Every structure is written in structure tokens, then in C-alpha cells.
Amino acid sequence: MMEEWKKEIFPALESKLDEFHLLGYKGATTDEIWECLLARKKRNNDLEDIQMHRLVNEIMRLSTNEYMNWLTIHAYKGTDMFSKEEA
């Protein structure tokens, strides 16, 4: 259901992306904003029975600070800094 809603609320994601770009976060993407939002909803166990207008509200309330925190944690989790492949 959430992926179907992504298409419907894409204008809100684009609006948030424009806001982030205006604030100097040029590397932000709509996909990252969406993933950040889903991660917050999963963390709060709030994916069940969510309404579309509340989801749009969550996008509009997303702060650059929360986005950057998520991005940093996401980068650390996705990178194996102690990999011995380069040895």
C-alpha cells in the first residue's frame, strides 16, 4: 500500500526536496526522503492504519536534522568499514 501511496503523494515529496535544496542539501533525493519517512514509521510501529493526509503531514514535518541523522546512520549501516577485502 505504501508504494501505491508514494505515487499519489509525490508532489509533497518534491516540495520537501525543493525545500532541502533551498537549504543547501543538494544531494537529497525524493527516494531518500521517502525511505527516511518509512524508517521513522517502522521505528514507531506506525505503518498500520495510516491515513494518506497524515503521511503527507509527516513529509511536511520532516526536518533537515532528522533527515541528515537518518542519512548518516543509513550510511554507517550500509558500509562495512572493517571489511578485509582490500587487504
Side-chain angles (χ1 to χ4, degrees):
M1 173 170 61
M2 296 299 279
E3 285 303 317
E4 295 171 7
W5 281 11
K6 183 179 177 183
K7 295 173 188 171
E8 294 290 325
I9 62 172
F10 195 75
L13 289 170
E14 285 184 319
S15 175
K16 183 54 71 170
L17 179 66
D18 290 342
E19 176 187 333
F20 283 3
H21 285 181
L22 284 172
L23 293 172
Y25 297 95
K26 302 289 186 194
T29 66
T30 54
D31 287 334
E32 288 176 342
I33 294 169
W34 178 252
E35 288 181 32
C36 177
L37 176 70
L38 290 182
R40 178 172 53 176
K41 300 308 268 177
K42 286 178 187 175
R43 184 176 62 238
N44 295 335
N45 292 324
D46 197 20
L47 286 175
E48 301 295 323
D49 298 327
I50 189 162
Q51 298 169 336
M52 190 180 299
H53 69 278
R54 291 181 191 258
L55 193 57
V56 171
N57 184 44
E58 292 289 327
I59 293 169
M60 293 294 119
R61 290 186 331 132
L62 182 65
S63 68
T64 55
N65 187 35
E66 184 173 358
Y67 169 75
M68 291 306 292
N69 286 340
W70 171 83
L71 198 59
T72 302
I73 291 169
H74 185 71
Y76 281 127
K77 285 182 178 180
T79 304
D80 186 6
M81 294 173 39
F82 300 105
S83 176
K84 296 189 180 205
E85 291 178 15
E86 293 184 18

